[in-house]
Amino acid sequence: TLLPKVIKEVQKSGCEVVWEVDPMHGNTSTTSSGIKTRNFNNVLSEVKDSFQVHKDLDSVLAGVHFEMTGEDVTECIGGISDLSEHDLTKNYESYCDPRLNYAQSLEMAFLISSEFS
């Protein structure tokens, strides 16, 4: 990953920046039937990895970007609701980017909060 190198260079420069991770866009895939989706575990893994890199380099990850909704959509696979590719057509409403549904969003928030303890 290039993140550690980028953080080190910014630290050397003396610039003050606000670091944010966008784990959604790099983890978009298309199913064999052509449906655009994201895997909950891949998104979570990228967030956790980012927190760890920043911690290791005495840096602060100050923000995380998600596409999410309070609706019961079926756009992202995995998470506590254990959605699979076959579930995507049940309530897929996105016109652009697959979103975490309400249960996946809450689960993600609770799992990320453990990074602050």
Side-chain angles (χ1 to χ4, degrees):
T1 175
L2 294 174
L3 183 58
K5 292 178 184 179
V6 172
I7 293 171
K8 288 176 187 175
E9 288 300 316
V10 170
Q11 288 172 328
K12 276 196 270 183
S13 77
C15 291
E16 293 187 29
V17 300
V18 176
W19 295 101
E20 177 182 354
V21 64
D22 178 351
M24 300 296 281
H25 290 94
N27 287 300
T28 303
S29 60
T30 303
T31 67
S32 57
S33 59
I35 300 172
K36 191 174 171 183
T37 189
R38 295 177 169 130
N39 183 300
F40 180 93
N41 290 331
N42 294 347
V43 171
L44 177 62
S45 178
E46 185 169 334
V47 172
K48 286 187 167 203
D49 289 349
S50 296
F51 270 109
Q52 188 61 53
V53 167
H54 282 277
K55 182 179 178 180
D56 292 347
L57 295 174
D58 197 29
S59 179
V60 176
L61 178 61
V64 183
H65 170 83
F66 293 109
E67 273 87 24
M68 60 185 173
T69 180
E71 303 295 320
D72 190 20
V73 298
T74 56
E75 298 172 0
C76 294
I77 60 174
I80 198 161
S81 45
D82 199 29
L83 295 176
S84 70
E85 277 190 39
H86 300 289
D87 297 314
L88 294 176
T89 57
K90 290 180 182 175
N91 197 22
Y92 194 98
E93 296 182 3
S94 176
Y95 293 104
C96 181
D97 287 332
R99 303 161 295 168
L100 299 172
N101 64 30
Y102 74 93
Q104 293 166 325
S105 299
L106 286 172
E107 180 183 10
M108 186 68 70
F110 280 112
L111 293 171
I112 290 173
S113 71
S114 69
E115 297 296 323
F116 298 106
S117 56

